[in-house]
Amino acid sequence: MISATRLEAAAAAVTVLSNRPEVTVWALRYFGPWWNAASVAADAVPSGAVVVADVEPAGYEEVARIVHDGRPTEAVTYAKHPLVVARDGEDVIAASPREGIAYRSTPSSGRLVLAGTDAQPLALAAARLAREAIRGQLLRDGWAVLHSSAVVRPDDGAALLAFGGKGAGKTATALLLASRGWQLLANDRVLVRPSGERGVEAVPWPSAAAIGLGLLRSLGWDVIARGYLRAGGRFHPTQHASVTRALLSGHHTPLWDGRERERKVQVFPDQFPGLFGVDLATGGQVAGLLFPQVDSGGVPGAGGGSRALGEGDFMSGATEDRYPDVFGLARGVDGGGRGSARAEAMARLAVLPHRAVRVSHDVLASAALLGKVAGGM
């Protein structure tokens, strides 16, 4: 029995097909709150981009054998997994032994076929590639990808983008504003495109949101998360087991791996409204830019200087370290968008209000400050 999920974002669309319903249900859950995801009849799939992801061990073995038959290959890290990539005529083929998944992409038709040995890693891979198929279409249509969190004011659709390096407080800013009635549009990346004469529209980049244990506790969500886990609930499977143990035991001291990266709670998109009461936005018009800094023991305040955006604020080049376009889904367009699209977006964003803000571990005071600053933009 073949099942199907259709995804649509702006003018882009892709259909995920599988012989295992958990694969298409995963895509439905993962994208539904932000992108127009719906179950569709497998025999009525419209033309266009398709991701076929079947649990088919023989198919995996066949493509893996071709990849390793002596032809030129390239070793790539994709979504933290080692991938061996080769060509087979016009197709890009690849094998991921750690996941037990083989790939065959035909960029000219937008068709991508995955064969896997196990349903769960296959479901994650199919969702990633469906998102990449959407991104490729949007990039070719003039969109760009910013490294930013974003919120939307539900009354008028005004969007605020928060920028900064690791630890600057982008996620905290977005979630604190969400606690004041704004809708969450993006946790870490957002798609933008010039619209009209001077506008910039934004749509979500769906992904699991990484929230530090300290921030989770400051928001008062640790009790909710602990009760959810104890009742048998689960967060995203990429969440490290040590984080789950800390949640269950009531610990909130930050956890670190051996590379000085904090291990965080990994929240599904649909868990924001369903578990934490945070509404999600499906789009907005950018009205201003925030540049947060976290001063844990300081007093929340505004000012201190903002900055201009640069190429490093787009998810391209050296900043794109997780999802290189090894399958040709963007057909040569840079992962952050065409240079002309990035330049126009930067020029339009440059004339919008910029506000530097300082937030602290005093959640009530920080949320009040952000609400005041955001309300005036």
Side-chain angles (χ1 to χ4, degrees):
M1 181 70 176
I2 303 299
S3 59
T5 292
R6 179 78 170 172
L7 311 174
E8 297 177 350
V14 63
T15 304
V16 180
L17 294 160
S18 180
N19 63 355
R20 294 286 290 271
E22 53 262 58
V23 173
T24 54
V25 167
W26 184 279
L28 184 67
R29 177 188 183 189
Y30 199 85
F31 298 109
W34 268 320
W35 287 354
N36 182 21
S39 296
V40 296
D43 58 358
V45 172
S47 60
V50 173
V51 175
V52 180
D54 289 339
V55 175
E56 188 182 0
Y60 165 73
E61 294 292 344
E62 179 183 356
V63 175
R65 177 182 54 77
I66 298 173
V67 168
H68 295 289
D69 68 358
R71 68 189 64 212
T73 61
E74 179 184 6
V76 177
T77 298
Y78 184 84
K80 299 183 180 180
H81 294 290
L83 203 65
V84 181
V85 184
R87 305 284 304 196
D88 187 29
E90 70 167 313
D91 290 355
V92 179
I93 57 175
S96 175
R98 182 184 294 174
E99 299 171 286
I101 300 172
Y103 303 82
R104 179 177 290 274
S105 172
T106 309
S108 61
S109 68
R111 183 177 179 85
L112 186 64
V113 178
L114 286 65
T117 58
D118 184 70
Q120 179 169 306
L122 186 66
L124 270 68
R128 285 194 297 263
L129 270 298
R131 186 175 58 193
E132 290 301 305
I134 292 280
R135 175 166 73 158
Q137 295 173 57
L138 292 177
L139 293 178
R140 298 196 302 273
D141 199 28
W143 293 79
V145 184
L146 282 168
H147 187 197
S148 166
S149 65
V151 292
V152 171
R153 186 163 51 211
D155 293 344
D156 58 4
L160 298 182
L161 309 183
F163 294 88
K166 186 180 299 183
K170 296 189 300 296
T171 298
T173 295
L175 295 180
L176 287 170
L177 282 170
S179 74
R180 305 281 294 188
W182 291 67
Q183 297 173 330
L184 182 64
L185 181 71
N187 169 64
D188 188 58
R189 307 177 188 207
V190 63
L191 286 146
V192 295
R193 182 178 70 169
S195 63
E197 293 185 4
R198 290 179 290 182
V200 178
E201 61 182 312
V203 298
W205 168 271
S207 66
I211 305 176
L213 289 168
L215 176 58
L216 196 79
R217 183 173 186 269
S218 297
L219 291 165
W221 292 357
D222 59 324
V223 176
I224 298 172
R226 185 157 53 253
Y228 177 70
L229 289 172
R230 287 177 175 172
R234 296 182 180 181
F235 290 104
H236 195 276
T238 57
Q239 179 171 299
H240 196 273
S242 63
V243 176
T244 302
R245 290 194 296 270
L247 283 172
L248 287 169
S249 61
H251 293 164
H252 52 83
T253 303
L255 300 173
W256 304 90
D257 64 12
R259 295 169 294 175
E260 298 185 353
R261 296 173 67 98
E262 185 178 358
R263 290 172 174 166
K264 298 182 178 183
V265 182
Q266 301 291 330
V267 180
F268 273 107
D270 69 346
Q271 288 171 331
F272 278 110
L275 194 58
F276 300 123
V278 171
D279 291 334
L280 302 179
T282 58
Q285 287 286 328
V286 183
L289 283 63
L290 295 170
F291 297 89
Q293 285 293 329
V294 175
D295 182 357
S296 59
V299 177
S306 59
R307 63 172 176 81
L309 297 186
E311 283 293 322
D313 291 300
F314 290 87
M315 296 304 297
S316 56
T319 65
E320 178 53 273
D321 59 355
R322 283 180 285 178
Y323 310 109
D325 188 24
V326 295
F327 298 108
L329 300 175
R331 301 184 195 176
V333 179
D334 184 89
R338 290 191 174 94
S340 57
R342 299 198 302 270
E344 182 63 21
M346 277 195 291
R348 295 190 182 201
L349 292 171
V351 301
L352 295 176
H354 289 44
R355 299 287 187 271
V357 290
R358 184 176 61 256
V359 297
S360 74
H361 288 178
D362 186 336
V363 168
L364 292 178
S366 296
L369 167 75
L370 288 168
K372 181 178 180 181
V373 171
M377 296 179 74

